[in-house]
Amino acid sequence: MASTLSPAKVVLLAVHFAGHADIESLAALTATHASILHDELLLRIILTHLPETTRPDAYTGFLQNVVDHASEGGQLESLDTSPVDRLDDGEAAKRATKLHLLPLLYPCTPETSQGDALTRFLFLRTHKMDEETGMLAQLLDLLLPFLSRNSAIQKWAMATVLPYVRKGLEFRMGQPPEYSLAEFEKLTDQQAVKFLLSPGGTLSQSRDNVDHSLRNVVGPWLYDIDRWDCSGKTSGDETSSVFCPGWQHVREWLLSQATLSWSVAVLAIERWGGPDDVDFGDGIPLYLPAPYKYYLEQTYATTVMACVYGVQEATLECLTRMYSLLTTLRQYLGYDVDVIPVEQAINALLDLSVTDISTFHGGRVASFMRNSLLEQHNPLTNPSQDSTKFLLALVLSAYLLTTFGSPSSVRRAGELSLLQDERDQKAEVLKLLRGIAGEAPNESDDYLQRARLSLLWLRDWGQGSTGTSPGEPAPQGALGMVAREYMEAEFLKLLLSKGRR
């Protein structure tokens, strides 16, 4: 009878049931021998002998009952004790001492190694399942039922296992992931970001899904505060009460994409809502303290602006999309309520002059378009009302320059404005006039009228300043060093050449 089993036979029978994944019999045995099969011993038996291929949903309910001490009595009469019936108590005791059950010791972090027995079991079982079976989808099936029980399990599951599983599922069927879970946990921040954002081994080599990686893989990974530095860490000259090295590598990756393959970075930013846009799936979301969130929001804004400066493409499609990025960013930062389409902005020729233009003039400031784009001390990308408006003016300037025959990147428009080289700006005016003359229709003056107003806007960004009075500073625009009289005179020559009076 099961009720008269010696302690050694109870343990051996539990090992037998676990080895055969007979959870129902194991539960019945545990219910009547709880004093022998205490939590830690039972979890060690399951860890050592339950096949890793056993689906977690077959035994997670049993585990919950065990740790809650809510096991119900089973049908002892139907319990098969034949595996130990022929053993006398002495032989059973000898076999029990030779079981070599795995210890519930997880060596990685103090918070897990010092947790309760269930917490340590879950960490160890998850790693065993990953290493022995590679059945990635089942790792979360094991952990999800226990997220609300322990904050360490929740954080590890959502910020480490979830990103690892989602990345692993991108690989082709039959192709193992590049790293095991244990190896993934040991990667440096830079290595982890490179892995999480890599396209290698996926079904599609397209980079059209970077926003998915940011939202579903990198995003949750960043929400582990153990990956943050709260000691006033600096990045370059940037000082903050918090700093996230992993996020810094993500920012650098996005900027490199903007420089090398602008459409990848722009599409990712268009589709991703920023660091708040994180998908934790069916798990319990993680939350960051207010200083962490503020740091992410500000550095995200800097990253978007840096990417716009970094793009070297000079096409209307690219400039239109970067304009949309900036208007969305200004809305994200609370500077604007409505987003105006680029065509409407071009037609309206809005006043985009900034309050303190001295911040954005000079060769030293121009150098910031090429260097330190991600640093807080960069006046061009440190997010503010003026810096975002200044960049918006540069994008629209590049758009108009490109429209009228002088294809220009945002950086080129920035050089015209920041360096204030009168000779360079006059040469640009003449180039634009040649382009306008070549495109102007003979039947209508609308195009020429529009071109003239656009040239004047490029000079002062809608401020309406003449810049010709003694002591009056030059207008702010990309062509601000060119006197209005010069522009008007050259445009009049164009009109006369086209037979206009």
Side-chain angles (χ1 to χ4, degrees):
M1 293 291 293
S3 59
T4 61
L5 293 173
S6 68
K9 287 187 177 182
V10 170
V11 172
L12 292 176
L13 198 56
V15 168
H16 173 81
F17 290 147
H20 288 77
D22 186 352
I23 303 301
E24 183 178 355
S25 296
L26 182 60
L29 182 67
T30 302
T32 53
H33 296 87
S35 61
I36 299 172
L37 297 174
H38 55 81
D39 293 0
E40 182 142 351
L41 175 59
L42 183 60
L43 291 173
R44 290 178 64 190
I45 290 172
I46 295 173
L47 178 66
T48 307
H49 293 282
L50 183 67
E52 284 75 20
T53 53
T54 306
R55 294 182 61 85
D57 58 10
Y59 60 93
T60 51
F62 168 59
L63 292 177
Q64 288 176 316
N65 287 336
V66 168
V67 296
D68 290 338
H69 303 105
S71 300
E72 298 179 359
Q75 298 294 324
L76 296 182
E77 296 78 8
S78 61
L79 198 63
D80 180 13
T81 62
S82 60
V84 297
D85 283 346
R86 295 184 179 182
L87 298 176
D88 59 38
D89 290 347
E91 181 62 23
K94 288 181 181 180
R95 293 191 182 187
T97 59
K98 297 179 180 180
L99 286 176
H100 302 297
L101 300 177
L102 294 173
L104 296 182
L105 296 176
Y106 187 74
C108 288
T109 60
E111 70 174 351
T112 56
S113 62
Q114 296 174 8
D116 60 25
L118 177 63
T119 299
R120 287 176 279 136
F121 167 83
L122 291 172
F123 278 92
L124 292 163
R125 179 72 178 176
T126 302
H127 279 94
K128 282 197 69 179
M129 290 171 60
D130 176 63
E131 293 165 3
E132 299 295 333
T133 70
M135 300 170 71
L136 293 175
Q138 293 191 17
L139 302 186
L140 290 171
D141 292 340
L142 172 64
L143 297 173
L144 288 177
F146 302 99
L147 296 189
S148 61
R149 301 182 67 97
N150 186 292
S151 60
I153 287 291
Q154 180 195 357
K155 183 178 69 174
W156 185 65
M158 293 293 96
T160 298
V161 180
L162 178 65
Y164 171 76
V165 167
R166 285 176 170 173
K167 184 61 184 178
L169 292 176
E170 294 177 2
F171 286 76
R172 295 185 181 93
M173 185 69 67
Q175 180 180 354
E178 188 173 350
Y179 302 103
S180 68
L181 176 58
E183 291 170 337
F184 172 66
E185 291 179 283
K186 295 177 183 178
L187 295 179
T188 65
D189 292 317
Q190 185 174 17
Q191 291 170 330
V193 169
K194 182 179 179 181
F195 168 63
L196 295 175
L197 289 174
S198 67
T202 57
L203 291 171
S204 171
Q205 294 297 316
S206 171
R207 303 298 357 238
D208 293 345
N209 63 345
V210 173
D211 62 297
H212 175 274
S213 296
L214 292 169
R215 181 182 304 106
N216 294 276
V217 181
V218 175
W221 181 79
L222 292 173
Y223 270 61
D224 183 351
I225 60 174
D226 290 337
R227 297 192 176 99
W228 290 62
D229 189 332
C230 306
S231 60
K233 178 75 174 180
T234 61
S235 170
D237 292 334
E238 178 180 355
T239 302
S240 174
S241 59
V242 295
F243 176 71
C244 182
W247 171 235
Q248 181 68 13
H249 291 304
V250 174
R251 299 173 67 207
E252 292 168 357
W253 185 90
L254 282 170
L255 180 56
S256 70
Q257 293 299 312
T259 304
L260 300 173
S261 179
W262 70 269
S263 60
V264 172
V266 171
L267 185 63
I269 296 171
E270 286 173 339
R271 293 180 173 179
W272 187 43
D276 288 337
D277 184 10
V278 181
D279 181 8
F280 289 101
D282 295 329
I284 300 176
L286 299 175
Y287 298 96
L288 293 173
Y292 294 63
K293 290 177 64 66
Y294 180 77
Y295 164 83
L296 286 177
E297 290 167 359
Q298 292 297 300
T299 51
Y300 168 71
T302 294
T303 305
V304 174
M305 297 174 71
C307 287
V308 173
Y309 278 110
V311 171
Q312 295 305 297
E313 187 79 3
T315 62
L316 293 181
E317 179 201 354
C318 176
L319 294 167
T320 297
R321 291 172 68 180
M322 289 197 291
Y323 169 85
S324 296
L325 290 188
L326 280 176
T327 53
T328 302
L329 178 65
R330 283 180 57 83
Q331 193 176 47
Y332 173 84
L333 293 171
Y335 300 149
D336 294 328
V337 176
D338 300 317
V339 173
I340 302 175
V342 66
E343 295 82 3
Q344 185 177 338
I346 290 297
N347 289 332
L349 296 176
L350 303 172
D351 181 0
L352 292 179
S353 57
V354 299
T355 304
D356 184 11
I357 191 59
S358 62
T359 304
F360 305 105
H361 274 171
R364 180 176 178 275
V365 178
S367 70
F368 281 119
M369 288 193 297
R370 300 179 181 275
N371 305 302
S372 305
L373 281 169
L374 295 175
E375 305 302 335
Q376 189 179 31
H377 68 264
N378 188 329
L380 298 178
T381 57
N382 186 15
S384 68
Q385 178 77 264
D386 275 356
S387 66
T388 53
K389 184 187 286 189
F390 179 78
L391 182 51
L392 194 61
L394 292 183
V395 172
L396 289 179
S397 296
Y399 188 98
L400 288 173
L401 291 169
T402 302
T403 298
F404 292 113
S406 180
S408 301
S409 65
V410 174
R411 183 178 293 178
R412 169 58 180 161
E415 289 171 345
L416 286 169
S417 174
L418 294 171
L419 296 179
Q420 296 184 295
D421 186 321
E422 183 178 357
R423 179 179 297 181
D424 191 20
Q425 291 187 13
K426 280 188 174 181
E428 194 69 25
V429 169
L430 296 177
K431 184 177 180 181
L432 290 171
L433 290 172
R434 288 193 295 271
I436 292 168
E439 294 294 326
N442 294 323
E443 299 79 13
S444 173
D445 290 339
D446 290 346
Y447 177 83
L448 290 172
Q449 291 173 355
R450 190 74 213 154
R452 173 181 171 273
L453 292 175
S454 296
L455 277 177
L456 294 177
W457 184 89
L458 283 168
R459 184 176 174 275
D460 63 15
W461 288 340
Q463 186 181 28
S465 170
T466 61
T468 57
S469 303
E472 184 180 353
Q476 299 179 12
L479 302 177
M481 297 301 294
V482 181
R484 177 166 181 160
E485 291 81 357
Y486 176 85
M487 268 192 187
E488 296 281 24
E490 292 299 321
F491 201 85
L492 179 59
K493 293 177 185 178
L494 183 155
L495 292 176
L496 294 174
S497 71
K498 301 294 289 184
R500 303 299 201 274
R501 299 292 181 183

